[in-house]
Amino acid sequence: MTPMTTGTSTETTVEPEAVIADRRSRIDALDARLIALVRDRMELSETIQQTRIESGGRRVHLARELEILDHYSCELGAPGRELARTLLRLCRGH
């Protein structure tokens, strides 16, 4: 921020580049947290799938996946549903 003095008041102006750099830095930090959360989700999902298979069930629980798709869709709209689909694909195991 660059302080500017005009008469008796002090105004602060911020260069657009500084705002952009700051916000990009914050986005990068959020992205790192999101990636860590997705990895945690993948591990939990793998444990659930293994437990389900070991107890005689199927690896994928379609009704649960529909709940997740609906939840993301309600919270974030159609793009949220696509995000949920991507998460589910990541979490289905290899």
Side-chain angles (χ1 to χ4, degrees):
M1 291 186 205
T2 306
M4 295 177 50
T5 304
T6 56
T8 59
S9 68
T10 301
E11 295 178 14
T12 302
T13 60
V14 179
E15 296 296 323
E17 295 82 11
V19 172
I20 291 167
D22 175 66
R23 297 315 186 271
R24 283 183 176 164
S25 176
R26 291 174 61 188
I27 286 173
D28 291 345
L30 286 170
D31 285 344
R33 289 171 48 197
L34 286 168
I35 290 167
L37 289 169
V38 169
R39 286 187 174 137
D40 287 347
R41 189 187 194 291
M42 291 169 68
E43 289 177 19
L44 290 168
S45 182
E46 182 179 356
T47 301
I48 291 168
Q49 290 173 49
Q50 281 301 115
T51 303
R52 194 181 306 114
I53 290 168
E54 290 168 3
S55 66
R58 300 179 67 194
R59 183 174 57 88
V60 176
H61 189 272
L62 295 177
R64 173 69 176 147
E65 288 194 358
L66 288 174
E67 288 175 14
I68 293 165
L69 290 168
D70 288 343
H71 178 70
Y72 274 73
S73 181
C74 286
E75 293 294 323
L76 302 171
R81 190 171 196 87
E82 290 304 312
L83 176 60
R85 280 192 180 113
T86 300
L87 284 170
L88 291 170
R89 277 195 304 274
L90 284 168
C91 293
R92 282 191 188 122
H94 307 291

